[in-house]
């Protein structure tokens, strides 16, 4: 039985490399005492993510170990509440039904049309940073408010409420970050909030926002139930809070620790899309994918996971698997991309297009505006979130008008 090492959240990759050299799947005890099977290599991760006997619905958690957690939390929301009726808690055929109803809201044309607004929000936030005297927390001033503002506008929820969402999202979404009481209180607050937003649309009429679209969507007469609607809206809000922010900040960090690369992108930003794609592999925002449960024995590279167990897929480890990626510890935007940062199979991220768009625009505007941006702390003093789900910083102190980047 393995345990996460003391410096896991700061530096998970050495631990993952050691595990991979010892096999594709390991039994692990998490800090909160929960025991699970951790899948660490690329091929095994892909196999688990599309395996018909690996389920997402916490009610499939019938085994003793899985029950430990299944009754409590599924990685995005707890199992038995009104926010749990979403895609990431569903298996076919319910998942197929929900996915069919929700997918049109993420139509690529709709996402692409957001580009000018994303750029305008970015520029407004960068104006604020330009006015600052002294170091700025780039996470708080840029990487966080940008995707949150976009997701609030897209959903049609008031941006002024974003501080509340941030607290709710952290409390509800990440079982390793909150107490059961905190989770319950936040869940009730979110349910009341979304009930109110939906009621407003029913009385005042629909807009062109995503909640309105989800309210009217139909497929052969089928529609989302009220609880499916608020669960989906909340899932989208959480995804907007917890992921893109870290894609932006993890990428900025990689650039600031390599000034010539930052300078090169300032001179020629055409390399930004390839860099974003490689960053998803190299240090993406999701460390370990959301919880899964085995419903039958699963053979994986010589190991058998019994039925009724909790299964965790370490995407961050699969994305550094030396059997799949040549020189995986190198940040190489020229490599062909086949990372698992957005998952794989039926739960592949619905917001991948939006996340890529936002990260590309955020970085393009930042490097153009601040050619001399630099880190305001030593690399070793950076603070990482203590979450097994999210790989991201707590803050990113920068000096916007730092010394000229060295060539
Ligand atoms: C860089 C940013 C993002 C990353 C790395 C990311 C990653 C992921 C991953 C790994 C999954 C699958 C989880 C699993 O199988 O356990 C997922 C699912 C999902 N993501 Fe994202 N995500 C990002 C941004 C977004 C955004 C911006 C949205 C919405 C606006 C979004 C919406 C969703 C939804 C709805 C699902 C569930 C899909 C399903 O179960 O069918 N994501 N995401």
């Amino acid at each position: 039985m393995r345990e996460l090492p003391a410096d896991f959240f700061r530096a998970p990759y050495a631990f993952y490399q050691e595990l991979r050299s010892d096999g594709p799947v390991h039994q692990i005890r998490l800090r909160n005492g929960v025991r699970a099977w951790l899948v660490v290599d690329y091929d095994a991760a892909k196999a688990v993510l599309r395996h018909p006997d690996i389920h997402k619905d916490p009610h499939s958690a019938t085994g003793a170990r899985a029950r430990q957690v299944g009754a409590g939390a599924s990685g995005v929301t707890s199992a038995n509440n009104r926010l749990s009726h979403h895609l990431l808690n569903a298996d076919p055929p319910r998942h197929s039904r929900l996915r069919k109803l929700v997918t049109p809201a993420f139509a690529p044309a709709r996402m692409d049309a957001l580009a000018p607004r994303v750029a305008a929000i970015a520029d407004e936030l960068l104006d604020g940073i330009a006015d600052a005297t002294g170091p700025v927390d780039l996470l708080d001033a840029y990487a966080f408010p940008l995707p949150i503002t976009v997701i609030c506008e897209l959903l049609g929820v008031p941006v002024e409420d974003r501080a509340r969402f941030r607290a709710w999202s952290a409390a509800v979404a990440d079982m390793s970050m909150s107490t059961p009481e905190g989770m319950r209180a936040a869940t009730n607050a979110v349910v009341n909030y979304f009930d109110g937003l939906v009621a407003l649309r029913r009385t005042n009429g629909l807009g062109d926002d995503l909640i309105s679209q989800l309210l009217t969507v139909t497929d052969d007469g089928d529609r989302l139930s009220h609880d499916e609607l608020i669960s989906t809206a909340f899932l989208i809000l959480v995804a907007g809070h917890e992921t893109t922010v870290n894609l932006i900040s993890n990428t900025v960090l990689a650039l600031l620790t390599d000034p010539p690369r930052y300078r090169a992108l300032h001179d020629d930003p055409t390399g930004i899309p390839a860099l974003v794609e490689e960053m998803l592999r190299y240090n993406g925002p999701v460390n370990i994918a959301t919880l899964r449960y085995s419903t039958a024995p699963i053979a994986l590279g010589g190991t058998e996971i019994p039925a009724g167990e909790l299964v965790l897929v370490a995407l961050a480890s699969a994305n550094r698997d030396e059997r799949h990626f040549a020189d995986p510890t190198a940040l190489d935007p020229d490599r062909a991309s086949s990372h698992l940062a957005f998952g794989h199979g039926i739960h592949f991220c619905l917001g991948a297009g939006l996340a890529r768009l936002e990260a590309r625009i955020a970085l393009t505007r930042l490097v153009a505006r601040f050619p001399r941006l630099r880190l305001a702390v030593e690399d070793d003093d950076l603070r990482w979130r203590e979450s097994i789900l999210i790989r991201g910083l707590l803050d990113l102190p920068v000096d916007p008008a730092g010394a000229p980047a060295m060539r």
Side-chain angles (χ1 to χ4, degrees):
M1 177 77 57
R2 305 294 302 245
E3 304 214 348
L4 299 178
D7 66 347
F8 176 74
F9 297 108
R10 195 180 60 77
Y13 296 110
F15 174 61
Y16 282 145
Q17 186 181 18
E18 184 202 322
L19 289 185
R20 285 195 306 274
S21 69
D22 206 21
V25 52
H26 302 267
Q27 281 191 278
I28 185 143
R29 188 178 10 244
L30 302 177
R31 298 261 165 93
N32 55 7
V34 168
R35 291 195 287 163
W37 294 79
L38 185 68
V39 179
V40 291
D41 90 359
Y42 185 91
D43 290 337
K46 262 181 128 166
V48 165
L49 292 174
R50 60 171 179 240
H51 202 294
D53 295 326
I54 300 269
H55 284 207
K56 293 288 295 147
D57 184 343
H59 298 104
S60 306
T62 48
R65 238 177 242 167
R67 236 189 348 251
Q68 252 185 304
V69 177
S74 73
V76 172
T77 42
S78 63
N80 294 309
N81 71 51
R82 290 186 49 209
L83 291 181
S84 66
H85 305 269
H86 58 66
L87 291 155
L88 271 179
N89 277 345
D91 300 303
R94 201 165 77 82
H95 176 269
S96 330
R97 180 188 148 254
L98 289 175
R99 181 102 184 181
K100 210 166 164 195
L101 286 166
V102 177
T103 299
F106 289 90
R110 181 179 191 149
M111 298 300 116
D112 290 347
L114 293 173
R117 181 65 194 135
V118 176
I121 298 167
D123 288 344
E124 208 174 296
L125 293 168
L126 293 174
D127 287 345
I129 295 173
D131 290 343
T133 52
V136 170
D137 176 4
L138 200 79
L139 200 101
D140 227 42
Y142 193 56
F144 179 74
L146 174 62
I148 295 321
T149 307
V150 172
I151 209 75
C152 287
E153 291 187 3
L154 187 66
L155 274 171
V157 303
V159 174
E160 309 82 78
D161 291 339
R162 72 186 183 207
R164 292 158 78 191
F165 301 143
R166 189 181 197 176
W168 291 340
S169 169
V172 177
D174 192 342
M175 63 150 183
S176 55
M177 302 281 280
S178 65
T179 60
E181 301 75 46
M183 212 181 237
R184 248 192 317 273
T187 301
N188 289 339
V190 174
V191 167
N192 288 337
Y193 186 82
F194 277 107
D195 279 351
L197 284 181
V198 172
L200 265 181
R201 278 167 184 74
R202 291 202 198 278
T203 43
N204 294 353
L206 302 174
D208 57 2
D209 56 83
L210 220 134
I211 291 183
S212 296
Q213 187 172 346
L214 292 174
L215 257 168
T216 49
V217 76
T218 51
D219 178 51
D220 255 348
D222 182 23
R223 10 175 28 122
L224 293 173
S225 71
H226 178 79
D227 284 358
E228 286 170 347
L229 170 67
I230 63 170
S231 299
T232 305
F234 184 63
L235 173 64
I236 292 167
L237 196 66
V238 169
H241 271 72
E242 304 289 347
T243 51
T244 316
V245 41
N246 298 305
L247 178 56
I248 296 170
S249 49
N250 291 357
T251 307
V252 173
L253 173 62
L255 290 174
L256 295 184
T257 51
D258 185 355
R261 203 192 283 269
Y262 188 92
R263 184 60 165 264
L265 285 177
H266 169 74
D267 296 344
D268 176 13
T270 55
I272 286 177
L275 175 70
V276 167
E277 213 49 42
E278 170 67 345
M279 275 305 301
L280 283 158
R281 181 199 71 81
Y282 179 79
N283 198 15
V286 178
N287 182 344
I288 295 179
T290 56
L291 307 188
R292 289 170 159 75
Y293 312 93
S294 56
T295 56
I298 314 284
L300 271 185
T303 305
E304 186 176 283
I305 302 179
E309 298 276 271
L310 204 64
V311 183
L312 296 172
V313 179
L315 302 177
S317 178
N319 284 335
R320 296 248 186 151
D321 186 344
E322 36 293 287
R323 278 176 296 274
H324 188 80
F325 298 100
D327 199 6
T329 56
L331 177 64
D332 174 10
D334 293 330
R335 73 170 79 233
S337 145
S338 55
H339 62 73
L340 301 180
F342 289 119
H344 175 70
I346 61 169
H347 293 283
F348 184 85
C349 179
L350 261 178
L354 177 60
R356 287 184 170 114
L357 177 92
E358 289 182 295
R360 288 171 188 170
I361 293 174
L363 290 159
T364 306
R365 308 308 265 208
L366 179 76
V367 299
R369 186 76 173 265
F370 294 106
R372 296 190 299 166
L373 191 79
R374 65 167 188 180
L375 262 184
V377 290
E378 295 298 320
D379 214 5
D380 282 348
D381 293 331
L382 289 165
R383 301 182 312 140
W384 293 88
R385 284 177 59 163
E386 303 221 332
S387 159
I388 61 165
L389 180 67
I390 297 298
R391 169 80 181 144
L393 293 162
L394 281 169
D395 39 31
L396 179 55
V398 297
D399 179 357
M406 291 196 306
R407 285 219 180 247

